[in-house]
Amino acid sequence: MQRHIDQELADLKTQLLRMGALVEEQIERAIKALIERDANLASQVIERDKQVNRFDVEIDETCIRLLALQAPAAGDLRFVTTAMKISTELERMSDLAENICERVIELNEEPQLKPYMDLPRMAAWTMTMVREALDAFVRQDAALARKVCADDDFVDDLTHQLFRELVSFMLENPSTITRAIRLTFIGKYIERIADHATNIGELVIYMVEGKIVRHMTPPASQPG
């Protein structure tokens, strides 16, 4: 016989995945706005952040109600508390997509500083991390979650590489400083999105295995 809470947990998962899909789209559209220098698209992303915020509030309310009325235990309790924390991570990712778009609008007021190669590469890797983190949550796949955590190192390396390149622009030509700083900010925003994906990976490991891996050596990916 199916427990009443099972349907509520399934609904919560659906709600979270809808939020995740919207956040993935926010990130993708923010990077598209950057590459195509599309201020209108950037403005749309900024406006749609309100939808993500509503999801965050609704999921929090659902989780609090489940905790108060259903008193979930063991795995169900870990699922509910993990879902609540994941919604917070996703909301922060959307905030960072909004930050990217604010810098895009500012950058469009001047000529493009350089061809955008590293930033789209960083963003593509980061979006894969976000997608795989959510897949790990759905499938309760701790091995995939560990892969997401390990992949964060690549984004960190690209961020450092981009920073060094932009510093060289600023040193050679002071007129590029404002644009280079804004691009540095965008690189940092993308890196922080990857950090939030890593946080989701760590939360999934906790949900599946009951192990808290935050503030520890990053878990290595399992051989496939």
Side-chain angles (χ1 to χ4, degrees), residues 175 193 219:
S175 70
I193 291 171

Side-chain angles (χ1 to χ4, degrees), residues 3 20 30-31 57 64 69 83 104 130 144-146 193 206 222:
R3 301 174 306 159
I31 299 305
V57 171
I64 290 168
L69 300 181
V104 167
V130 174
L144 181 58
R146 284 185 166 85
I193 291 171
Y206 166 71
Q222 300 296 310

Side-chain angles (χ1 to χ4, degrees), residues 68-79:
L69 300 181
Q70 297 290 348
D76 291 342
L77 178 60
R78 292 204 302 271
F79 179 88

Side-chain angles (χ1 to χ4, degrees), residues 7 49 54 68 88 96 121 127-128 137 141 143 162 178 202 210:
Q7 184 57 53
D49 183 62
R54 283 196 293 270
T88 299
L96 290 163
R121 188 179 176 203
M127 285 188 284
T128 297
F137 170 72
D141 188 338
L162 175 69
T178 301
E202 293 172 347

Side-chain angles (χ1 to χ4, degrees), residues 24-220:
E24 285 185 49
E25 188 176 346
Q26 285 284 89
I27 300 166
E28 186 176 2
R29 287 160 68 92
I31 299 305
K32 183 178 180 183
L34 170 69
I35 296 168
E36 298 182 1
R37 294 176 61 83
D38 188 337
N40 288 331
L41 180 58
S43 296
Q44 291 172 25
V45 172
I46 292 170
E47 180 63 25
R48 289 183 76 199
D49 183 62
K50 295 175 184 174
Q51 294 181 34
V52 178
N53 292 340
R54 283 196 293 270
F55 266 117
D56 186 37
V57 171
E58 289 169 5
I59 289 171
D60 265 4
E61 290 174 345
T62 298
C63 291
I64 290 168
R65 181 176 52 78
L66 283 170
L67 291 171
L69 300 181
Q70 297 290 348
D76 291 342
L77 178 60
R78 292 204 302 271
F79 179 88
V80 173
T81 56
T82 297
M84 183 182 287
K85 291 181 178 180
I86 287 176
S87 73
T88 299
E89 300 293 342
L90 290 171
E91 190 273 333
R92 289 173 180 167
M93 289 184 196
S94 183
D95 285 345
L96 290 163
E98 180 181 8
N99 293 154
I100 290 170
C101 288
E102 289 168 350
R103 301 293 82 73
V104 167
I105 291 169
E106 294 166 355
L107 283 165
N108 286 354
E109 295 174 359
E110 299 184 75
Q112 187 166 324
L113 176 61
K114 63 186 282 296
Y116 297 142
M117 298 173 62
D118 293 333
L119 287 170
R121 188 179 176 203
M122 285 173 62
W125 191 273
T126 296
M127 285 188 284
T128 297
M129 289 176 64
V130 174
R131 195 169 302 115
E132 289 184 343
L134 292 171
D135 286 346
F137 170 72
V138 172
R139 290 155 39 185
Q140 299 194 26
D141 188 338
L144 181 58
R146 284 185 166 85
K147 175 186 179 297
V148 171
C149 296
D151 284 349
D152 186 53
D153 290 341
F154 182 72
V155 178
D156 291 342
D157 290 343
L158 285 178
T159 304
H160 298 150
Q161 179 181 318
L162 175 69
F163 178 73
R164 288 193 297 270
E165 180 186 8
L166 291 171
V167 166
S168 69
F169 270 99
M170 290 187 276
L171 291 174
E172 291 171 12
N173 185 353
S175 70
T176 66
I177 288 175
T178 301
R179 284 171 289 170
I181 288 175
R182 285 172 176 151
L183 291 173
T184 301
F185 283 156
I186 290 175
K188 192 63 181 175
Y189 299 150
I190 295 171
E191 181 192 27
R192 287 173 62 193
I193 291 171
D195 289 342
H196 288 302
T198 300
N199 291 346
I200 293 176
E202 293 172 347
L203 289 167
V204 170
I205 294 168
Y206 166 71
M207 181 183 74
V208 175
E209 300 180 352
K211 296 178 182 176
I212 298 175
V213 296
R214 293 194 317 276
H215 314 306
M216 297 171 63
T217 302

